[in-house]
Amino acid sequence: MTMLTSITVMLSAILIMIMVPRIYSNWLQFKEYLEQGDREKLVELQALHNQWVIRHFGMGLLALGFVTAMKHLPGLEMHSQAAAATAAYSAISLTLALVESILAQKIAAYAAAVPQPAKKRHREQGYY
């Protein structure tokens, strides 16, 4: 195993070890904010998840581009193990983007369903 392959495998493992507990923690926050009926916190949490979707999706596409380059450029054909490890990283990153996206959609749906006080709603619409 080359150094590049080892680094990619370690980055993939670190990504999983950090992101899975963070997503679970945000899920617990979502449940708490939903019980409290705190619409503002739900919207902030949704914005946070949307940022993570963009990050994961961007990194997944970038890794997929590297894999494509390693497979099709003549000078990089010898790095097949690194290409496989990078493809695994790309799949993990795109899967995390999907999970974050689903969670952000769920938060958005519940945030829209949380009733907002009439006074605040009228103020936001410019009645007061």
PDB file of all heavy atoms in Angstrom, residues 1-3 7 9 12 14 20 28 31 34 40 43-44 52 72 74 82 87 92-94 105 107 110 117 121 123:
ATOM      1  N   MET A   1       0.846  -1.172   0.000  1.00  0.00           N
ATOM      2  CA  MET A   1       0.000   0.000   0.000  1.00  0.00           C
ATOM      3  C   MET A   1       0.892   1.237   0.000  1.00  0.00           C
ATOM      4  O   MET A   1       1.798   1.359   0.805  1.00  0.00           O
ATOM      5  CB  MET A   1      -0.909  -0.018   1.236  1.00  0.00           C
ATOM      6  CG  MET A   1      -1.972   1.030   1.198  1.00  0.00           C
ATOM      7  SD  MET A   1      -3.087   1.115   2.627  1.00  0.00           S
ATOM      8  CE  MET A   1      -3.816  -0.483   2.693  1.00  0.00           C
ATOM      9  N   THR A   2       0.609   2.133  -0.898  1.00  0.00           N
ATOM     10  CA  THR A   2       1.411   3.346  -0.998  1.00  0.00           C
ATOM     11  C   THR A   2       0.981   4.362   0.055  1.00  0.00           C
ATOM     12  O   THR A   2      -0.054   4.214   0.703  1.00  0.00           O
ATOM     13  CB  THR A   2       1.262   3.971  -2.400  1.00  0.00           C
ATOM     14  OG1 THR A   2      -0.086   4.395  -2.568  1.00  0.00           O
ATOM     15  CG2 THR A   2       1.650   3.000  -3.497  1.00  0.00           C
ATOM     16  N   MET A   3       1.780   5.388   0.181  1.00  0.00           N
ATOM     17  CA  MET A   3       1.499   6.431   1.167  1.00  0.00           C
ATOM     18  C   MET A   3       0.192   7.155   0.815  1.00  0.00           C
ATOM     19  O   MET A   3      -0.618   7.439   1.704  1.00  0.00           O
ATOM     20  CB  MET A   3       2.656   7.435   1.213  1.00  0.00           C
ATOM     21  CG  MET A   3       2.456   8.527   2.223  1.00  0.00           C
ATOM     22  SD  MET A   3       2.487   7.950   3.919  1.00  0.00           S
ATOM     23  CE  MET A   3       4.217   7.774   4.176  1.00  0.00           C
ATOM     24  N   ILE A   7      -3.056   7.379   3.279  1.00  0.00           N
ATOM     25  CA  ILE A   7      -3.608   8.663   3.713  1.00  0.00           C
ATOM     26  C   ILE A   7      -5.094   8.749   3.367  1.00  0.00           C
ATOM     27  O   ILE A   7      -5.909   9.198   4.185  1.00  0.00           O
ATOM     28  CB  ILE A   7      -2.819   9.833   3.082  1.00  0.00           C
ATOM     29  CG1 ILE A   7      -1.417   9.895   3.691  1.00  0.00           C
ATOM     30  CG2 ILE A   7      -3.548  11.157   3.273  1.00  0.00           C
ATOM     31  CD1 ILE A   7      -0.490  10.877   3.008  1.00  0.00           C
ATOM     32  N   VAL A   9      -7.229   6.254   2.957  1.00  0.00           N
ATOM     33  CA  VAL A   9      -7.986   5.346   3.822  1.00  0.00           C
ATOM     34  C   VAL A   9      -8.133   5.948   5.223  1.00  0.00           C
ATOM     35  O   VAL A   9      -9.214   5.887   5.826  1.00  0.00           O
ATOM     36  CB  VAL A   9      -7.312   3.954   3.870  1.00  0.00           C
ATOM     37  CG1 VAL A   9      -7.909   3.089   4.962  1.00  0.00           C
ATOM     38  CG2 VAL A   9      -7.423   3.266   2.519  1.00  0.00           C
ATOM     39  N   SER A  12     -10.698   8.713   5.156  1.00  0.00           N
ATOM     40  CA  SER A  12     -12.048   8.150   5.092  1.00  0.00           C
ATOM     41  C   SER A  12     -12.512   7.679   6.464  1.00  0.00           C
ATOM     42  O   SER A  12     -13.652   7.927   6.869  1.00  0.00           O
ATOM     43  CB  SER A  12     -12.104   6.986   4.101  1.00  0.00           C
ATOM     44  OG  SER A  12     -11.767   7.420   2.809  1.00  0.00           O
ATOM     45  N   ILE A  14     -11.370   8.705   9.404  1.00  0.00           N
ATOM     46  CA  ILE A  14     -11.532   9.876  10.265  1.00  0.00           C
ATOM     47  C   ILE A  14     -12.839  10.596   9.939  1.00  0.00           C
ATOM     48  O   ILE A  14     -13.563  11.037  10.841  1.00  0.00           O
ATOM     49  CB  ILE A  14     -10.323  10.824  10.125  1.00  0.00           C
ATOM     50  CG1 ILE A  14      -9.081  10.171  10.762  1.00  0.00           C
ATOM     51  CG2 ILE A  14     -10.601  12.176  10.751  1.00  0.00           C
ATOM     52  CD1 ILE A  14      -7.790  10.895  10.468  1.00  0.00           C
ATOM     53  N   VAL A  20     -20.379  10.872  11.781  1.00  0.00           N
ATOM     54  CA  VAL A  20     -21.524  10.099  12.280  1.00  0.00           C
ATOM     55  C   VAL A  20     -21.968  10.595  13.664  1.00  0.00           C
ATOM     56  O   VAL A  20     -23.165  10.854  13.855  1.00  0.00           O
ATOM     57  CB  VAL A  20     -21.227   8.583  12.256  1.00  0.00           C
ATOM     58  CG1 VAL A  20     -22.287   7.802  12.990  1.00  0.00           C
ATOM     59  CG2 VAL A  20     -21.101   8.097  10.816  1.00  0.00           C
ATOM     60  N   LEU A  28     -30.358  14.804  17.617  1.00  0.00           N
ATOM     61  CA  LEU A  28     -30.866  15.004  18.975  1.00  0.00           C
ATOM     62  C   LEU A  28     -31.253  16.466  19.201  1.00  0.00           C
ATOM     63  O   LEU A  28     -32.265  16.752  19.857  1.00  0.00           O
ATOM     64  CB  LEU A  28     -29.834  14.551  20.002  1.00  0.00           C
ATOM     65  CG  LEU A  28     -29.540  13.043  20.027  1.00  0.00           C
ATOM     66  CD1 LEU A  28     -28.452  12.732  21.044  1.00  0.00           C
ATOM     67  CD2 LEU A  28     -30.792  12.241  20.314  1.00  0.00           C
ATOM     68  N   LYS A  31     -34.594  17.033  17.571  1.00  0.00           N
ATOM     69  CA  LYS A  31     -35.695  16.534  18.408  1.00  0.00           C
ATOM     70  C   LYS A  31     -35.993  17.507  19.553  1.00  0.00           C
ATOM     71  O   LYS A  31     -37.154  17.770  19.872  1.00  0.00           O
ATOM     72  CB  LYS A  31     -35.345  15.151  18.973  1.00  0.00           C
ATOM     73  CG  LYS A  31     -35.288  14.062  17.955  1.00  0.00           C
ATOM     74  CD  LYS A  31     -36.673  13.725  17.507  1.00  0.00           C
ATOM     75  CE  LYS A  31     -36.652  12.418  16.770  1.00  0.00           C
ATOM     76  NZ  LYS A  31     -37.973  12.009  16.353  1.00  0.00           N
ATOM     77  N   LEU A  34     -37.625  20.675  18.260  1.00  0.00           N
ATOM     78  CA  LEU A  34     -38.983  20.364  17.838  1.00  0.00           C
ATOM     79  C   LEU A  34     -39.919  20.285  19.038  1.00  0.00           C
ATOM     80  O   LEU A  34     -41.040  20.797  18.995  1.00  0.00           O
ATOM     81  CB  LEU A  34     -38.994  19.052  17.064  1.00  0.00           C
ATOM     82  CG  LEU A  34     -40.282  18.695  16.349  1.00  0.00           C
ATOM     83  CD1 LEU A  34     -40.622  19.763  15.323  1.00  0.00           C
ATOM     84  CD2 LEU A  34     -40.155  17.342  15.679  1.00  0.00           C
ATOM     85  N   GLU A  40     -36.836  29.278  15.166  1.00  0.00           N
ATOM     86  CA  GLU A  40     -35.578  29.941  14.787  1.00  0.00           C
ATOM     87  C   GLU A  40     -34.401  28.987  14.869  1.00  0.00           C
ATOM     88  O   GLU A  40     -33.548  28.965  13.977  1.00  0.00           O
ATOM     89  CB  GLU A  40     -35.346  31.162  15.662  1.00  0.00           C
ATOM     90  CG  GLU A  40     -36.339  32.272  15.427  1.00  0.00           C
ATOM     91  CD  GLU A  40     -36.174  33.417  16.401  1.00  0.00           C
ATOM     92  OE1 GLU A  40     -35.219  33.396  17.214  1.00  0.00           O
ATOM     93  OE2 GLU A  40     -37.014  34.338  16.360  1.00  0.00           O
ATOM     94  N   VAL A  43     -34.513  26.559  11.970  1.00  0.00           N
ATOM     95  CA  VAL A  43     -34.043  27.163  10.722  1.00  0.00           C
ATOM     96  C   VAL A  43     -32.521  27.262  10.715  1.00  0.00           C
ATOM     97  O   VAL A  43     -31.871  27.007   9.690  1.00  0.00           O
ATOM     98  CB  VAL A  43     -34.716  28.544  10.510  1.00  0.00           C
ATOM     99  CG1 VAL A  43     -34.087  29.296   9.351  1.00  0.00           C
ATOM    100  CG2 VAL A  43     -36.211  28.372  10.294  1.00  0.00           C
ATOM    101  N   GLU A  44     -31.923  27.619  11.842  1.00  0.00           N
ATOM    102  CA  GLU A  44     -30.460  27.673  11.949  1.00  0.00           C
ATOM    103  C   GLU A  44     -29.851  26.284  11.746  1.00  0.00           C
ATOM    104  O   GLU A  44     -28.832  26.147  11.065  1.00  0.00           O
ATOM    105  CB  GLU A  44     -30.045  28.215  13.317  1.00  0.00           C
ATOM    106  CG  GLU A  44     -30.284  29.679  13.512  1.00  0.00           C
ATOM    107  CD  GLU A  44     -29.953  30.138  14.923  1.00  0.00           C
ATOM    108  OE1 GLU A  44     -29.293  29.389  15.672  1.00  0.00           O
ATOM    109  OE2 GLU A  44     -30.374  31.261  15.276  1.00  0.00           O
ATOM    110  N   TRP A  52     -23.278  21.706   5.234  1.00  0.00           N
ATOM    111  CA  TRP A  52     -22.588  20.422   5.233  1.00  0.00           C
ATOM    112  C   TRP A  52     -22.889  19.625   3.970  1.00  0.00           C
ATOM    113  O   TRP A  52     -22.040  18.903   3.458  1.00  0.00           O
ATOM    114  CB  TRP A  52     -22.932  19.607   6.479  1.00  0.00           C
ATOM    115  CG  TRP A  52     -22.112  20.026   7.653  1.00  0.00           C
ATOM    116  CD1 TRP A  52     -22.531  20.754   8.726  1.00  0.00           C
ATOM    117  CD2 TRP A  52     -20.726  19.759   7.870  1.00  0.00           C
ATOM    118  NE1 TRP A  52     -21.492  20.957   9.594  1.00  0.00           N
ATOM    119  CE2 TRP A  52     -20.370  20.352   9.102  1.00  0.00           C
ATOM    120  CE3 TRP A  52     -19.756  19.081   7.158  1.00  0.00           C
ATOM    121  CZ2 TRP A  52     -19.081  20.282   9.609  1.00  0.00           C
ATOM    122  CZ3 TRP A  52     -18.473  19.015   7.677  1.00  0.00           C
ATOM    123  CH2 TRP A  52     -18.155  19.616   8.875  1.00  0.00           C
ATOM    124  N   HIS A  72      -7.827   7.531 -16.285  1.00  0.00           N
ATOM    125  CA  HIS A  72      -7.744   7.861 -17.698  1.00  0.00           C
ATOM    126  C   HIS A  72      -6.465   8.566 -18.129  1.00  0.00           C
ATOM    127  O   HIS A  72      -6.175   8.601 -19.323  1.00  0.00           O
ATOM    128  CB  HIS A  72      -8.957   8.698 -18.119  1.00  0.00           C
ATOM    129  CG  HIS A  72     -10.245   7.940 -18.000  1.00  0.00           C
ATOM    130  ND1 HIS A  72     -10.572   6.891 -18.820  1.00  0.00           N
ATOM    131  CD2 HIS A  72     -11.275   8.062 -17.132  1.00  0.00           C
ATOM    132  CE1 HIS A  72     -11.743   6.405 -18.492  1.00  0.00           C
ATOM    133  NE2 HIS A  72     -12.199   7.098 -17.447  1.00  0.00           N
ATOM    134  N   PRO A  74      -2.529   8.724 -18.667  1.00  0.00           N
ATOM    135  CA  PRO A  74      -1.520   7.670 -18.815  1.00  0.00           C
ATOM    136  C   PRO A  74      -0.489   7.611 -17.682  1.00  0.00           C
ATOM    137  O   PRO A  74      -0.069   6.538 -17.278  1.00  0.00           O
ATOM    138  CB  PRO A  74      -0.837   7.997 -20.145  1.00  0.00           C
ATOM    139  CG  PRO A  74      -1.638   9.040 -20.799  1.00  0.00           C
ATOM    140  CD  PRO A  74      -2.539   9.634 -19.792  1.00  0.00           C
ATOM    141  N   ALA A  82      -4.741   3.557  -5.006  1.00  0.00           N
ATOM    142  CA  ALA A  82      -5.110   4.907  -4.581  1.00  0.00           C
ATOM    143  C   ALA A  82      -6.437   5.316  -5.216  1.00  0.00           C
ATOM    144  O   ALA A  82      -7.255   5.977  -4.572  1.00  0.00           O
ATOM    145  CB  ALA A  82      -4.019   5.905  -4.943  1.00  0.00           C
ATOM    146  N   ALA A  87     -12.051   6.408  -4.530  1.00  0.00           N
ATOM    147  CA  ALA A  87     -13.441   6.123  -4.905  1.00  0.00           C
ATOM    148  C   ALA A  87     -14.264   5.789  -3.668  1.00  0.00           C
ATOM    149  O   ALA A  87     -15.428   6.203  -3.557  1.00  0.00           O
ATOM    150  CB  ALA A  87     -13.493   4.979  -5.909  1.00  0.00           C
ATOM    151  N   ILE A  92     -18.306   7.560   0.335  1.00  0.00           N
ATOM    152  CA  ILE A  92     -18.627   7.916   1.718  1.00  0.00           C
ATOM    153  C   ILE A  92     -19.077   9.371   1.789  1.00  0.00           C
ATOM    154  O   ILE A  92     -20.083   9.699   2.434  1.00  0.00           O
ATOM    155  CB  ILE A  92     -17.418   7.658   2.643  1.00  0.00           C
ATOM    156  CG1 ILE A  92     -17.164   6.164   2.781  1.00  0.00           C
ATOM    157  CG2 ILE A  92     -17.620   8.311   4.004  1.00  0.00           C
ATOM    158  CD1 ILE A  92     -15.826   5.824   3.411  1.00  0.00           C
ATOM    159  N   SER A  93     -18.358  10.247   1.121  1.00  0.00           N
ATOM    160  CA  SER A  93     -18.686  11.666   1.156  1.00  0.00           C
ATOM    161  C   SER A  93     -20.041  11.947   0.505  1.00  0.00           C
ATOM    162  O   SER A  93     -20.848  12.720   1.036  1.00  0.00           O
ATOM    163  CB  SER A  93     -17.585  12.460   0.447  1.00  0.00           C
ATOM    164  OG  SER A  93     -17.762  13.827   0.635  1.00  0.00           O
ATOM    165  N   LEU A  94     -20.316  11.296  -0.611  1.00  0.00           N
ATOM    166  CA  LEU A  94     -21.609  11.492  -1.265  1.00  0.00           C
ATOM    167  C   LEU A  94     -22.747  10.892  -0.438  1.00  0.00           C
ATOM    168  O   LEU A  94     -23.856  11.446  -0.404  1.00  0.00           O
ATOM    169  CB  LEU A  94     -21.583  10.897  -2.671  1.00  0.00           C
ATOM    170  CG  LEU A  94     -20.679  11.638  -3.667  1.00  0.00           C
ATOM    171  CD1 LEU A  94     -20.605  10.881  -4.987  1.00  0.00           C
ATOM    172  CD2 LEU A  94     -21.132  13.060  -3.890  1.00  0.00           C
ATOM    173  N   GLN A 105     -33.996  18.343   4.862  1.00  0.00           N
ATOM    174  CA  GLN A 105     -35.361  18.392   4.347  1.00  0.00           C
ATOM    175  C   GLN A 105     -36.377  18.108   5.452  1.00  0.00           C
ATOM    176  O   GLN A 105     -37.428  18.735   5.514  1.00  0.00           O
ATOM    177  CB  GLN A 105     -35.533  17.401   3.205  1.00  0.00           C
ATOM    178  CG  GLN A 105     -34.825  17.814   1.941  1.00  0.00           C
ATOM    179  CD  GLN A 105     -34.926  16.769   0.851  1.00  0.00           C
ATOM    180  OE1 GLN A 105     -35.494  15.702   1.045  1.00  0.00           O
ATOM    181  NE2 GLN A 105     -34.361  17.076  -0.300  1.00  0.00           N
ATOM    182  N   ILE A 107     -35.934  18.677   8.650  1.00  0.00           N
ATOM    183  CA  ILE A 107     -35.941  19.854   9.523  1.00  0.00           C
ATOM    184  C   ILE A 107     -36.765  20.973   8.882  1.00  0.00           C
ATOM    185  O   ILE A 107     -37.560  21.631   9.559  1.00  0.00           O
ATOM    186  CB  ILE A 107     -34.502  20.329   9.816  1.00  0.00           C
ATOM    187  CG1 ILE A 107     -33.770  19.298  10.681  1.00  0.00           C
ATOM    188  CG2 ILE A 107     -34.505  21.683  10.506  1.00  0.00           C
ATOM    189  CD1 ILE A 107     -32.285  19.556  10.812  1.00  0.00           C
ATOM    190  N   TYR A 110     -40.526  20.258   9.226  1.00  0.00           N
ATOM    191  CA  TYR A 110     -41.027  20.485  10.585  1.00  0.00           C
ATOM    192  C   TYR A 110     -40.955  21.958  10.975  1.00  0.00           C
ATOM    193  O   TYR A 110     -41.800  22.442  11.712  1.00  0.00           O
ATOM    194  CB  TYR A 110     -40.289  19.617  11.595  1.00  0.00           C
ATOM    195  CG  TYR A 110     -40.783  18.193  11.614  1.00  0.00           C
ATOM    196  CD1 TYR A 110     -40.045  17.178  11.037  1.00  0.00           C
ATOM    197  CD2 TYR A 110     -42.004  17.876  12.183  1.00  0.00           C
ATOM    198  CE1 TYR A 110     -40.502  15.864  11.039  1.00  0.00           C
ATOM    199  CE2 TYR A 110     -42.481  16.583  12.195  1.00  0.00           C
ATOM    200  CZ  TYR A 110     -41.722  15.578  11.622  1.00  0.00           C
ATOM    201  OH  TYR A 110     -42.184  14.292  11.626  1.00  0.00           O
ATOM    202  N   PRO A 117     -46.024  32.726  16.349  1.00  0.00           N
ATOM    203  CA  PRO A 117     -46.964  33.662  16.981  1.00  0.00           C
ATOM    204  C   PRO A 117     -47.447  34.716  15.984  1.00  0.00           C
ATOM    205  O   PRO A 117     -46.690  35.197  15.151  1.00  0.00           O
ATOM    206  CB  PRO A 117     -46.139  34.306  18.098  1.00  0.00           C
ATOM    207  CG  PRO A 117     -45.016  33.372  18.348  1.00  0.00           C
ATOM    208  CD  PRO A 117     -44.761  32.665  17.056  1.00  0.00           C
ATOM    209  N   ARG A 121     -45.473  37.138  13.236  1.00  0.00           N
ATOM    210  CA  ARG A 121     -45.762  36.913  11.829  1.00  0.00           C
ATOM    211  C   ARG A 121     -46.185  38.219  11.164  1.00  0.00           C
ATOM    212  O   ARG A 121     -45.732  38.562  10.073  1.00  0.00           O
ATOM    213  CB  ARG A 121     -46.851  35.855  11.685  1.00  0.00           C
ATOM    214  CG  ARG A 121     -47.101  35.445  10.266  1.00  0.00           C
ATOM    215  CD  ARG A 121     -48.062  34.268  10.153  1.00  0.00           C
ATOM    216  NE  ARG A 121     -49.337  34.508  10.841  1.00  0.00           N
ATOM    217  CZ  ARG A 121     -49.788  33.743  11.836  1.00  0.00           C
ATOM    218  NH1 ARG A 121     -49.106  32.712  12.263  1.00  0.00           N
ATOM    219  NH2 ARG A 121     -50.947  34.012  12.405  1.00  0.00           N
ATOM    220  N   ARG A 123     -45.446  41.274  12.176  1.00  0.00           N
ATOM    221  CA  ARG A 123     -44.308  42.168  12.169  1.00  0.00           C
ATOM    222  C   ARG A 123     -43.386  41.854  10.996  1.00  0.00           C
ATOM    223  O   ARG A 123     -42.881  42.754  10.338  1.00  0.00           O
ATOM    224  CB  ARG A 123     -43.553  42.048  13.502  1.00  0.00           C
ATOM    225  CG  ARG A 123     -42.549  43.165  13.704  1.00  0.00           C
ATOM    226  CD  ARG A 123     -41.911  43.123  15.092  1.00  0.00           C
ATOM    227  NE  ARG A 123     -42.915  43.233  16.132  1.00  0.00           N
ATOM    228  CZ  ARG A 123     -42.951  42.474  17.235  1.00  0.00           C
ATOM    229  NH1 ARG A 123     -42.048  41.564  17.434  1.00  0.00           N
ATOM    230  NH2 ARG A 123     -43.907  42.635  18.139  1.00  0.00           N
TER     231      ARG A 123
END
